[in-house]
Amino acid sequence: MTSEPAGPAESGAPDTVALAKIVARQRAEMDRLRDQAATSAVVERAKGAVMALTGCSPDAAGEELLQRAKAAHHTLLEECWITLGGLAPQAPTAASADAPEQDAVVHAFPVAEAGGPRDLGRLGRALVRVGTPQDLARCLLEHLSSTEADAVMIFARLPAGGLELVGHAGIDETLAAQWRQVPPLSGIAALDALRDGQPRWLEDVETDRERYLLIGDPPERWLSRAWLPVVTRDRADVCIGVLRAPGGRFTPAVREHLLAVARLCAGRLRAFDPRREPSSDAAVDAVQTVFDALPGSTMLLAPLRAPSGEVEDYRIEAATEETFDAFGRTGRDLLGLRLLECFPSLAGEPLWEGCRHTLTTGEAYDGEPFAQQAVVAGVAELSTYTVRVTRLGSGLAVSWLRHDSSDRQEQRLADVQRLGNLGWANWNLITHDVSWSSQVYTVLDRDPAAGPVRLAALRDLAVPEDAPALTHAVGELLRRGRPCAMPFRIRATDGIRHLRIVAETVTDVHGTPVEVHGFLQDLTAQRSAELALVESEQAIVTQHDVLRAERTLAARLQHALLPLPTRPVQPAGLEVEVAYLPAQSGIHVGGDWFSAIELPDGDALFVVGDVAGHGIDAVATMAQLRFTAKGMVITGSSLTGALARLNTLLLHSRDTHGTATMVLARYNPDGHRLVWAQAGHPAPLLLRAGEARYLDRPGGMLLGASSHPHFQEAECVLEPGDRLLLYTDGLVERPSEGIDRGFKRLADALVTHHGNESGSLGPMLADLLEGERRDDVCVVDIRVPFSNF
């Protein structure tokens, strides 16, 4: 009893080798029959022309064509094209001079004075050598010089209703790219010509632009145009456009000549038009009949090439009944359609590149598995597919293989192992057989050719430090059947790997372990992340402790150097309130400070300053500037002189830090005169009679910015009830807004809180400093009592 040969896989995929042989034979027969049909059509038209010219019988006309071809060393097909192009009688007998028959030929094949039979004859001979629509466009432009043609464009109708530019001459590539694809819109002259099969003569740009979208940049480049439908297989699918720079009407002779040219091109276009609908001849039906009998999803594709030779799409020449596209069309409904019409999202996908590679190299392409919903036995279900592409003659056979549930389970298991970086392992304790999945070899960095190792030999793969613990865990698993979940490390080519083995035993009826199964997993990435996280946390804690200690020290130092008074002070008879508010963001303390003292001569000295930066260095610099400034003024230095010396101190002292701003003000109670100077600091704010204004700043630059600074003094006479505010920039600056807005906000707040009584500084600052403060704020609030006057 002989066994049956193996059939197709359960997935429904056809036998590719058998399919290739069948389709190759059928395709060869189809090509032969198609060429025969095309040749026959041209021969019959040429015989009809000779019969109309000479009045002879069909047999005599055929013999005449054969004799001409033999005499000129042409093929019969070439001679037929030349005869159709010439359209001139070459009668071997006197009967050809019959005038009515001549008139019939002229009526059937009109020729124009503009070109004449000789021009059409030359064009017919040239058409024999034309191989692509692009070649045809160039040929037409060359042979239409008598019609003043400057450019030729050939559009083919797409199945979806639009147009595609398949050939052009006389236009640049930029314009060609813009008109490569034309959607099925109204106002396209070529589309209108194809819809009703009648030519469109556009002879007035101003009038035509109101009806049609004119080609050209600018459209006035061509002042007249003709769009000529070419009828092939009893319908017009190709339109030839003739564009002329001269304006005006096409003469009747030129019109007749162009129509004759269009008819002359019909046979040639049909011969190489890749967008023709599938023929209903016996060869095509035979190929499709084979596909109708095949299981699974398979398509036969013919490449469609652009004028440059690049494959731009594929035509579906045959398809099995189970083949379906993105729009639900199946089987024979797909014939003649383009691949991108059926699967619009396919361009640029791996399958598209796979088709190109297979067509170029002949190597089969096998795609990655993908999921797609399909109807199986009338029920919609999500199935897993793979696609295979093989070359078949000049075309491609594309098969979709649907995998059954067991195939999907196996694929899912492989995916889980790959994604989880783990693999299963099985040890038979009776037969000592060991089986591993391929991923175990990857996890252990072991060559599959070396084979698996026995369970007890795993300790030899571990680093020496982990071998004892792994040996103990495996021993407990084998002796007592305790499940094993043990981390260990191995040395691999990429360094130390952190692995984990999880295993359990299978026992016989007596409870004796007979098999061990489990998995090994690579946890190196996870372990590295854990160690990095622990190190980062430790560094953060250490840094936080250091910064907290620094902040505590700086705060204590600042408090010691800048004690805040517990009640208002009254130097030189003025009432003074001070406020210091440290920043709330960050953990650094700043370098803002103030002084409000009475000098030995009875004058009052007010100082507000701000050292750039934060931390201990800023506090130390602040202390040095604060005490040095007071000492200089007490010992007789002028305000500008004190600022100049402080600038020198910042520039040349190793103990100072960065730069600083400052305001120095000296008040004389006898004349109520306030003399002040500043170094890059905001001007004091004066409130008088309910109006707030900033004092005009005298010249002065930032301390520590230049070795040759220039400072000036300004004077202001204070009046009873005046209120003067000295402050640091933290009071007016806010992120993401201009400083002028902060100055206005401070002035408005001072007007609002204009009470003469002490204690209003706190509420005003509370209103001004809502939210988080990013900088220190230092304020000296000076009031002039009425009792002093």
Side-chain angles (χ1 to χ4, degrees), residues 439-634:
Q439 194 67 25
V440 173
Y441 293 96
T442 302
V443 169
L444 291 175
D445 193 27
R446 183 176 177 83
D447 186 357
V453 300
R454 300 178 62 180
L455 185 60
L458 279 180
R459 65 177 181 271
D460 298 331
L461 302 179
V463 298
E465 296 84 353
D466 295 346
L470 181 60
T471 301
H472 176 74
V474 171
E476 290 292 301
L477 173 70
L478 297 177
R479 289 190 299 270
R480 301 184 182 182
R482 291 183 177 179
C484 172
M486 181 70 189
F488 66 99
R489 293 168 294 170
I490 65 170
R491 295 188 183 276
T493 54
D494 55 355
I496 297 295
R497 289 188 181 180
H498 295 264
L499 308 183
R500 178 177 64 152
I501 180 173
V502 177
E504 62 180 8
T505 60
V506 178
T507 61
D508 59 14
V509 294
H510 305 291
T512 304
V514 296
E515 188 178 70
V516 174
H517 60 255
F519 65 86
L520 287 97
Q521 185 176 18
D522 186 351
L523 301 176
T524 304
Q526 177 181 338
R527 184 59 179 161
S528 300
E530 291 173 352
L531 294 175
L533 181 60
V534 170
E535 293 177 358
S536 177
E537 289 177 347
Q538 292 177 346
I540 290 174
V541 171
T542 301
Q543 182 67 14
H544 183 270
D545 291 343
V546 171
L547 294 176
R548 183 170 59 183
E550 180 181 339
R551 177 177 176 83
T552 300
L553 176 60
R556 290 179 178 177
L557 177 60
Q558 188 179 50
H559 181 71
L561 297 175
L562 190 65
L564 292 174
T566 57
R567 60 177 183 272
V569 296
Q570 297 179 327
L574 302 174
E575 294 182 359
V576 180
E577 285 186 74
V578 296
Y580 176 78
L581 302 174
Q584 293 175 327
S585 62
I587 63 172
H588 297 296
V589 293
D592 292 19
W593 86 93
F594 68 90
S595 289
I597 61 174
E598 186 170 315
L599 299 175
D601 59 1
D603 288 356
L605 176 65
F606 302 104
V607 185
V608 171
D610 183 3
V611 174
H614 296 83
I616 294 178
D617 290 341
V619 172
T621 302
M622 175 270 290
Q624 190 174 30
L625 292 177
R626 180 172 184 260
F627 293 116
T628 303
K630 289 196 297 184
M632 288 181 180
V633 176
I634 290 175

Side-chain angles (χ1 to χ4, degrees), residues 4-16:
E4 292 293 330
E10 293 179 3
S11 61
D15 186 336
T16 306

Side-chain angles (χ1 to χ4, degrees), residues 655-719:
D655 299 329
T656 55
H657 172 79
T659 59
T661 67
M662 184 183 299
V663 168
L664 287 175
R666 184 166 185 161
Y667 174 72
N668 179 265
D670 293 337
H672 309 293
R673 295 173 55 252
L674 180 79
V675 179
W676 66 288
Q678 62 86 27
H681 201 88
L685 177 60
L686 175 65
L687 177 65
R688 175 177 292 172
E691 294 185 1
R693 68 176 181 89
Y694 290 94
L695 300 182
D696 294 333
R697 286 186 4 165
M701 64 174 57
L702 190 73
L703 296 179
S706 172
S707 58
H708 301 286
H710 177 68
F711 300 104
Q712 295 178 334
E713 292 182 352
E715 182 178 326
C716 175
V717 176
L718 299 182
E719 299 178 2

Side-chain angles (χ1 to χ4, degrees), residues 99-451:
E101 293 169 346
Q102 274 283 49
D103 293 340
V105 173
V106 174
H107 180 72
F109 297 92
V111 291
E113 297 174 3
R118 183 170 301 180
D119 284 350
L120 287 175
R122 284 197 295 268
L123 177 58
R125 287 188 292 273
L127 289 178
V128 175
R129 298 184 296 273
V130 167
T132 67
Q134 184 68 17
D135 294 338
L136 176 59
R138 299 191 188 101
C139 180
L140 290 177
L141 183 61
E142 179 181 351
H143 288 80
L144 290 178
S145 57
S146 60
T147 65
E148 299 183 293
D150 292 290
V152 171
M153 301 178 74
I154 303 177
F155 282 104
R157 190 204 305 262
L158 295 173
L163 296 176
E164 180 179 13
L165 182 65
V166 296
H168 61 85
I171 67 172
D172 55 63
E173 290 300 324
T174 301
L175 186 61
Q178 293 172 352
W179 287 86
R180 184 75 62 190
Q181 298 284 340
V182 181
L185 304 174
S186 61
I188 304 297
L191 271 174
D192 283 358
L194 289 178
R195 289 190 183 109
D196 57 19
Q198 296 298 322
R200 290 293 185 272
W201 308 98
L202 280 61
E203 299 163 322
D204 187 337
V205 171
E206 296 303 323
T207 303
D208 295 333
R209 75 166 73 241
E210 297 178 1
R211 182 178 180 186
Y212 294 114
L213 179 62
L214 299 182
I215 296 175
D217 187 14
E220 293 79 8
R221 176 179 176 183
W222 296 294
L223 297 178
S224 58
R225 308 143 192 265
W227 293 102
L228 312 169
V230 181
V231 178
T232 60
R233 299 187 186 274
D234 299 326
R235 59 176 290 178
D237 283 328
V238 178
C239 189
I240 298 176
V242 177
L243 291 73
R244 307 191 310 175
R249 296 180 60 83
F250 290 86
T251 66
V254 170
R255 288 193 180 193
E256 293 296 340
H257 180 66
L258 291 179
L259 292 174
V261 167
R263 283 191 291 273
L264 193 61
C265 293
R268 199 58 187 152
L269 284 169
R270 184 169 63 248
F272 55 66
D273 181 12
R275 296 156 188 83
R276 63 187 183 274
E277 294 186 2
S279 172
S280 59
D281 59 40
V284 173
D285 286 342
V287 173
Q288 182 55 46
T289 300
V290 174
F291 272 72
D292 288 339
L294 292 176
S297 301
T298 303
M299 293 192 308
L300 180 63
L301 304 179
L304 303 179
R305 300 183 182 274
S308 62
E310 293 291 328
V311 174
E312 60 182 5
D313 206 343
Y314 300 86
R315 185 181 65 253
I316 301 175
E317 293 196 333
T320 60
E321 187 60 32
E322 294 184 26
T323 304
F324 60 93
D325 70 354
F327 306 99
R329 294 172 291 200
T330 61
R332 287 179 175 263
D333 295 337
L334 303 174
L335 302 188
L337 300 180
R338 286 186 165 208
L339 189 61
L340 291 181
E341 289 181 63
C342 302
F343 305 94
S345 62
L346 192 61
E349 293 295 320
L351 175 56
W352 183 268
E353 294 301 318
C355 290
R356 182 190 61 79
H357 178 76
T358 299
L359 191 64
T360 304
T361 65
E363 299 177 359
Y365 166 78
D366 292 291
E368 294 292 330
F370 64 94
Q372 182 169 319
Q373 192 174 38
V375 177
V376 180
V379 179
E381 66 175 32
L382 193 65
S383 300
T384 301
Y385 292 83
T386 55
V387 64
R388 180 174 179 81
V389 182
T390 56
R391 193 163 70 182
L392 197 59
S394 60
L396 298 174
V398 183
S399 302
W400 282 266
L401 310 179
R402 185 173 64 85
H403 301 278
D404 59 22
S405 58
S406 61
D407 294 332
R408 292 198 299 271
Q409 288 297 105
E410 184 176 347
Q411 182 62 44
R412 289 168 184 167
L413 179 59
D415 291 341
V416 168
Q417 293 183 81
R418 176 177 52 83
L419 296 174
N421 205 3
L422 56 85
W424 60 263
N426 191 82
W427 292 271
N428 191 305
L429 304 180
I430 304 300
T431 64
H432 303 294
D433 290 334
V434 183
S435 58
W436 286 356
S437 69
S438 59
Q439 194 67 25
V440 173
Y441 293 96
T442 302
V443 169
L444 291 175
D445 193 27
R446 183 176 177 83
D447 186 357

